Amino acid sequence: MKFVKAILLLESGKTFSKTTGDTPAVLVDVLGKNTLSRTVENLSRLGLGEVVVVAEKSLADSRLLRESAGGSALVTAPEDQLWRAAEQQFESAAEDSTHILIVRLNAYAELNYEQLLEHHRTHGNKVTRAFAGASEAAKPLDIFLVNSSRRNDAAFLLRSEMENARTGTPYNAGSEEYVNFLEHEADLRNLASDALHRICKMQPAATELRPGIWAAKDSHIDKRARLVAPVFIGSRARICPGAVITRGSSIERHSVVGNKTVVENGTILPYTNLGPGLDVSHSLVGSRHIFNLQRNVCTPIQDPRLLGLVPATAGARTLFSMAKLLIRIPGQIWRGKGAAAPAPVAESTVSYKEVFTSANNPQVEMPKAPPALAAMRRYGNQ
Amino acid sequence: METSRPVLVKRVPEHMNQREAQKFLADVRPLLTADRPQLVFDLSQVRQLDVAGIEVLMQCMSMAMRKDGDLKLASLSDHAAVVLELTRTDRLFEIYDTSTDAARSYSSFLPNTLRRQNQMRLAA
């Protein structure tokens, strides 16, 4: 595959509903990495001569894209000049390669590219288009393998924005190959679920702590939280006490799952703060919106106690946590001064009936503490 | 991911009511107090499962978790499956079709043997 080069085209505009904001589908994290990053990695692993990412200027300027492009060359195309830029890249890449793989990145595909090349050669094609699914109901993918010498065919393909192409015998992806079209929120959820259930080859960007439980090394999982395999916990994500993460759920980086919140078959997108005591099932959550996949409804949540945002920059996060600490300290001091009895919690095993009856009994002299000893913690939970 | 610790499979009695549940808890308590216990409860014979039975299952899970172990369920009878789904406690457990699969799942992840209830393909 050394003499094959790849051109990945990235258009702005194709986004999901409000849960993912302005981020295109291929730049949304799924199990720790986005589709662009995974595609670049997969192609690089094949030993391709070069991988070039051509992106529209509005996208190319974003830090997320620059980080995701990783080991590939990033080319910025002026507004509305994406296809022209792609054509130029084809011409320069064609000089020292035999075949060029042109991919419009709008789906996640695990194709056997060696088999695609073999098919292309065997059938004597000049341009081969890949299809997903069984031959009768096959759905076309925006993945083309073009002979480097066929510049006119490539120009025809790119100038028509991949609508028309002089293709040969199409390549149908086999049953062992995997394609997800990323057209809907459900596709994003299914991709995460399929990867966790090993239906596709996608590997979560984390360590397998226990069979089926993937967590990044820098994630914070409370000991009292319950993780039921298979689940994924991303980098710097925080799972609070009593939370339950179950049935193929994925908690992406920097997200927080509050106390006793249950996430079942759900995806919590990066930088999402889920409040305490919630029940999130079959949903995609992010950017202060929740998309219920069973009802196919996207709902905005305004109350930050239910759903909030974690600041995206490290500085803002530090300031935010410092502010939270400063707010909490006076409250703690006030509670310490008042020395009121702790409020009973639902899980308490203390029999309050006994406490009330014992209050009527004569007081027992408690041994006095030495004067030098400071009472740092009056109650266990303060 | 391989583990050398034993996996204990315990059959849950046919009637998991208040009395039977407490008896069952007394039986399994020594197993749960061991270091990092790995348990599988076989619910194939369960014909009656009430709140007391569910509470005992939850208590066992909590005890196992406290000791850094785990509790998995296997071979659910129809009755047990319905009651667990009704009380939404099914999502707290890894549930397998057979006890053998559940025991094997302690050493490697077995996605095909995992019960995927409500894991419907969500069409657009």
Side-chain angles (χ1 to χ4, degrees), chain B residues 80-94:
Chain B
V82 167
V83 175
L84 283 169
E85 276 172 37
L86 193 71
T87 53
R88 305 194 80 181
T89 40
D90 56 335
R91 57 187 175 178
L92 296 173
F93 298 96
E94 277 178 46

Side-chain angles (χ1 to χ4, degrees), chain A residues 20 27 29 39 48 71 98 107 117 119 132 180 183 195 312 323 358 364 375 377:
Chain A
T20 53
L27 291 180
D29 276 8
T39 308
L48 260 63
T98 56
L117 182 64
H119 172 93
N180 186 314
E183 285 171 339
S358 68
V364 182
R377 283 166 59 119

Side-chain angles (χ1 to χ4, degrees), chain A residues 10-15 24 56 58-59 79 82:
Chain A
L10 208 61
E11 277 179 303
S12 57
K14 191 194 171 185
T15 56
E56 282 183 358
S58 55
L59 278 177
E79 292 299 326
L82 179 76

Side-chain angles (χ1 to χ4, degrees), chain A residues 21-186:
Chain A
D22 298 332
T23 315
V26 290
L27 291 180
V28 176
D29 276 8
V30 178
L31 306 186
K33 279 183 188 173
N34 57 43
T35 303
L36 169 66
S37 175
R38 289 185 191 277
T39 308
V40 169
E41 268 181 25
N42 289 347
L43 293 174
S44 305
R45 212 175 297 135
L46 280 171
L48 260 63
E50 192 184 12
V51 180
V52 181
V53 176
V54 183
E56 282 183 358
K57 196 176 183 313
S58 55
L59 278 177
D61 290 343
S62 74
R63 195 177 134 200
L64 180 63
L65 180 71
R66 274 181 272 128
E67 283 173 359
S68 309
S72 63
L74 181 61
V75 175
T76 306
E79 292 299 326
D80 305 324
Q81 295 286 312
L82 179 76
W83 302 99
R84 180 79 200 111
E87 211 181 313
Q88 285 168 355
Q89 284 304 312
F90 183 91
E91 281 166 16
S92 61
E95 285 166 13
D96 54 350
S97 64
T98 56
H99 298 85
I100 293 174
L101 187 71
I102 304 174
V103 181
R104 170 152 62 176
L105 212 56
N106 53 11
Y108 175 79
E110 278 176 8
L111 295 187
N112 188 338
Y113 290 102
E114 284 171 354
Q115 215 166 299
L116 172 64
L117 182 64
E118 190 60 39
H119 172 93
H120 181 82
R121 280 179 179 152
T122 322
H123 289 84
N125 290 350
K126 274 99 186 170
V127 179
T128 303
R129 187 173 197 172
F131 283 74
S135 51
E136 304 90 46
K139 216 173 158 185
L141 285 164
D142 287 338
I143 299 175
F144 295 84
L145 188 65
V146 185
N147 281 356
S148 298
S149 56
R150 309 298 295 189
R151 291 181 190 200
N152 286 342
D153 288 339
F156 180 67
L157 172 74
L158 294 169
R159 283 174 196 171
S160 66
E161 299 186 4
M162 291 188 171
E163 293 294 321
N164 301 308
R166 299 176 193 127
T167 54
T169 316
Y171 173 80
N172 282 309
S175 56
E176 73 283 356
E177 290 161 293
Y178 178 88
V179 176
N180 186 314
F181 283 92
L182 297 178
E183 285 171 339
H184 189 268
E185 278 82 355

